[in-house]
Amino acid sequence: MLSTLTFVYVLNFLDRQLLGILAKPIQDDLHITDGQLGLIGGLYFAFFYCFIAIPIGWLADRSNRITIVALACAIWSAATTACGLAATYPQLVVARMTVGFGEAGGVPPSYALITDTFPPGRRGIAFGIYNLGPPIGAAMGIAFGASIAAFFHWRDAFIAIGAVGVVTAILVRIFLREPARGSTDTVVHDAPVKARFWPTIGMFFTHPVLMLAALGSGATQFVTYGLGNFAVLFLIREKGMTLQEIAIWYALVVLVGMCTGMLVSGRVIDRFTQHSRRVYAIAPALSLAIAMPFYAAFVWSPGWPLALVLLTITMSFNYTYLSCSVALVQEEVRPDQRVLSGALLLLVMNFIGLGLGPTWVGAASDGFKAAGDTHSLRTALYTLLPAYPIAILLFFWLARVIRAQERTPA
C-alpha cells in the first residue's frame, strides 16, 4: 500500500513540477512572460487543485478510496499528455487546470489509506516515506524532463510521463485493496459510518489546531512553491546553468535536500510526540528558523555550485513541516472525517502556497523588470523572505494551543 501510493505521489508531483522544470523552453516556444508562467503554475492550477479536492474528499470518505486515487491518476496523467500537445498559451492553461482537477483526488484519500494501514507510533515515518513522493518526483522530473527537453523537445517529456501515469492508474485499481476505516486506531471512535459534509467543514475551520497547522503550512509553502516553480529558470538565467547541468546537479539537490527533511521529520515526530504532541509544531518552527538565512544566501550566491550547496541545506529544513502537519491533522479527527480533513488541509495550505506563491513571484519579477531591474527574478525571490517569520510564529502559536489542550483534563 505505502510503496504504491508513494509511487503515485511521485507521478503526481512530477507532473505538477514539469512546467517549472521546462519553463525556459516553454517560454521560448509559446512566448509567455514570467507573470503568465506564475499564473499557470500557481493560481490557475491551484484553483482547481484546491477546491475540487473538497467534494472529492467528501466522496472518498463515503466510498472506495482506491477507486478515487486510480481515477484521479488517470485524469491528471491524460491531462499532462495534453500539455505536451498544447499549441497556444490558452490551450496550455486548460490542460494545466485539468491536471489540477485530477491531482485533487490523489493525496487526501492516500493520507487516510496510510492512516488506516499504520498504527499511531508508526504513522510519522509512514508519512515521511509517503512524502518522499515530492522530492523523488521533482528530482525525476528535473533529470528526465530536462534531459528529454535538451536532446529532444519539451513536448516529448509531457507526453511520455503522462503515458506512464495512465498505465499506473490501471495497475492501482487492479492490485490495491481498501482497508477498513479506523482499523489501526488505538482509540475506538463513536462515529457515523458516513461522513457528514458541512459539519466536517465547520469542525475544521473552527478547530484552532487544524487551522493553525494549515495556515503555518500555507505560509511555508508560499516560499517552497514560489521558489520551486522558478528555481530552474533562476538557475539558468541568474546562475548560468545549462539544461544538462540542471538534469544532474539540481536533480541531486532536490532529491537529497527534500528527502532528508521528509525522513528526519518522520522519525522525529514518531519518537518525540509520544511525550508531547507539541513536537508537531515545534519541529517545523525551529527548522524554518534555520532555513531562512540559508535561503537568503542561496538567492545572493554569485555562482551555481555555491548556490546548490546552500539550496540543499535550505530544502532539508524547509520540508520538515509537511509530515508534521499531515500526521497531526489525521490524528486530530475521526476516521470518517480523515479524507475530507486532509482535503481541507490541502485547500488552505495549497491555496496560500501553490496558488499565491508562484503567482506572486512571477508578477513581482515582471514588475521589477518593467522598473528597469536587470535581475528582476532574483529580487522577486528575495520578497519571499517575510513568509518565513510568519510561518514560524504560526507554528509556535500552534505549539501553545496544543500545550493548553494537553493540560486540559479529558
Side-chain angles (χ1 to χ4, degrees):
M1 178 71 75
L2 182 58
S3 299
T4 304
L5 292 176
T6 301
F7 181 72
V8 172
Y9 202 10
V10 167
L11 293 177
N12 179 305
F13 214 81
L14 196 163
D15 292 357
R16 189 186 313 176
Q17 294 298 303
L18 207 54
L19 182 74
I21 294 163
L22 301 176
K24 185 64 169 63
I26 292 172
Q27 278 190 323
D28 293 342
D29 199 4
L30 299 183
H31 309 291
I32 60 178
T33 67
D34 287 355
Q36 289 176 311
L37 191 67
L39 282 170
I40 196 174
L43 191 61
Y44 293 160
F45 180 91
F47 183 82
F48 272 80
Y49 181 73
C50 295
F51 290 99
I52 297 299
I54 306 307
I56 291 176
W58 173 77
L59 178 63
D61 270 328
R62 303 169 63 88
S63 60
N64 189 292
R65 294 166 290 185
I66 299 296
T67 300
I68 298 292
V69 171
L71 183 59
C73 184
I75 292 172
W76 85 60
S77 299
T80 298
T81 298
C83 289
L85 302 174
T88 63
Y89 179 69
Q91 290 177 2
L92 187 60
V93 169
V94 172
R96 287 297 294 174
M97 292 175 80
T98 308
V99 171
F101 177 87
E103 290 189 1
V107 177
S110 297
Y111 286 162
L113 288 167
I114 291 169
T115 303
D116 287 336
T117 303
F118 292 87
R122 295 180 62 198
R123 289 172 181 166
I125 190 61
F127 282 121
I129 293 171
Y130 176 69
N131 286 324
L132 292 178
I136 295 173
M140 289 178 63
I142 295 161
F144 293 112
S147 297
I148 292 171
F151 292 104
F152 299 98
H153 197 277
W154 66 267
R155 297 181 184 277
D156 298 324
F158 280 96
I159 293 169
I161 292 169
V164 172
V166 172
V167 174
T168 300
I170 296 170
L171 296 177
V172 166
R173 186 62 190 89
I174 292 173
F175 291 108
L176 286 191
R177 294 292 176 266
E178 176 90 353
R181 285 172 168 81
S183 58
T184 61
D185 290 346
T186 55
V187 177
V188 178
H189 295 269
D190 183 17
V193 176
K194 304 293 185 183
R196 297 175 62 193
F197 184 73
W198 290 113
T200 302
I201 290 180
M203 176 276 300
F204 188 95
F205 284 106
T206 57
H207 198 306
V209 169
L210 302 181
M211 279 304 298
L212 285 170
L215 291 172
S217 299
T220 306
Q221 286 195 344
F222 189 83
V223 177
T224 58
Y225 276 116
L227 170 63
N229 277 42
F230 285 91
V232 171
L233 190 62
F234 176 69
L235 290 170
I236 292 173
R237 186 186 296 175
E238 296 286 343
K239 308 300 182 186
M241 293 187 75
T242 65
L243 274 175
Q244 290 89 339
E245 290 168 339
I246 291 286
I248 299 171
W249 299 112
Y250 181 56
L252 287 174
V253 166
V254 170
L255 187 65
V256 173
M258 291 178 68
C259 284
T260 299
M262 301 296 185
L263 289 176
V264 171
S265 63
R267 293 294 297 174
V268 166
I269 61 179
D270 272 346
R271 179 173 180 180
F272 293 104
T273 53
Q274 298 177 30
H275 305 290
S276 173
R277 295 168 72 245
R278 282 179 290 166
V279 175
Y280 284 124
I282 293 173
L286 295 179
S287 294
L288 291 171
I290 296 171
M292 182 167 58
F294 286 101
Y295 170 79
F298 155 72
V299 179
W300 161 85
S301 58
W304 68 261
L306 176 60
L308 292 185
V309 171
L310 294 167
L311 184 59
T312 304
I313 300 170
T314 302
M315 284 187 169
S316 66
F317 289 103
N318 266 356
Y319 286 92
T320 300
Y321 79 96
L322 189 55
S323 296
C324 295
S325 294
V326 170
L328 175 61
V329 168
Q330 291 293 299
E331 290 187 4
E332 192 73 14
V333 302
R334 300 193 312 253
D336 64 303
Q337 298 173 321
R338 281 176 176 154
V339 181
L340 184 52
S341 295
L344 291 166
L345 171 66
L346 292 176
L347 166 66
V348 176
M349 69 182 189
N350 281 328
F351 188 78
I352 296 171
L354 178 59
L356 302 181
T359 305
W360 166 258
V361 172
S365 180
D366 280 354
F368 290 128
K369 184 178 180 180
D373 188 349
T374 55
H375 300 283
S376 60
L377 184 54
R378 182 178 66 186
T379 307
L381 290 178
Y382 275 128
T383 66
L384 295 176
L385 275 168
Y388 273 107
I390 293 172
I392 292 167
L393 289 173
L394 286 168
F395 279 119
F396 275 128
W397 186 2
L398 173 60
R400 291 189 62 184
V401 172
I402 295 175
R403 182 181 182 183
Q405 190 183 68
E406 290 176 338
R407 289 181 170 181
T408 303

